[in-house]
Amino acid sequence: QTEFFDFTLEGLMQRVLFRDHLRIYARADHDLFELEYLTWSDLARYPWVCPMVGRRQRTVIEKLMAAEGISKLPQPIECGSVDFMKSLLSNSNYLAMLPSHSLQAGPDKRRIKALPISDPALKRDIAVIFHERLRLDDIRQALVTHIKEVGMELS
């Protein structure tokens, strides 16, 4: 795997560690799985739960919906617990955007499934940002290497 470097403002560098793919999840027997062709308009009819961290996923959802002419979404529940999100998904009509590796194993895999909808905006780079003049010491470099290895394995 090639390492990608992008130069940014004021000497900061971004190093992409791995590529991740977000998926839209719902409980396995959700009504949306019965549709022959799923659209973002279909998804907009249901409530959402989003992670509190960063708000990037919520922004992605809003942009995808806006591209389809959907300007008003129900206010999502925001939470900091992936376990809570999984519980809410498996026991309700809520939808969530999560990394594809979030539900690869365990009991949740049978109760929660990815919906058959995709978009290039659901692919993202996971990166570390650092200053080009400051070299990472061995401990920090080992951490970055470990994150990269685990991320590539999961994605």
Side-chain angles (χ1 to χ4, degrees), residues 37-67:
Y37 180 74
L38 190 60
T39 67
W40 291 100
S41 294
D42 297 324
L43 300 181
R45 295 190 336 248
Y46 291 90
W48 286 74
V49 58
C50 298
M52 288 172 46
V53 180
R55 292 196 179 268
R56 178 169 167 8
Q57 290 179 6
R58 183 173 172 185
T59 303
V60 170
I61 294 166
E62 289 168 349
K63 285 181 180 178
L64 289 167
M65 298 285 184

Side-chain angles (χ1 to χ4, degrees), residues 96-110:
M97 180 186 299
L98 294 166
S100 58
H101 61 79
S102 298
L103 294 159
Q104 287 181 346
D108 297 316
K109 188 176 181 177
R110 291 186 306 276

Side-chain angles (χ1 to χ4, degrees), residues 123-140:
K123 294 183 180 177
R124 63 186 182 167
D125 293 335
I126 305 300
V128 63
I129 297 173
F130 56 95
H131 198 281
E132 65 184 333
R133 291 189 312 229
L134 300 176
R135 181 170 161 73
L136 296 178
D137 61 23
D138 291 342
I139 292 172
R140 288 177 178 86

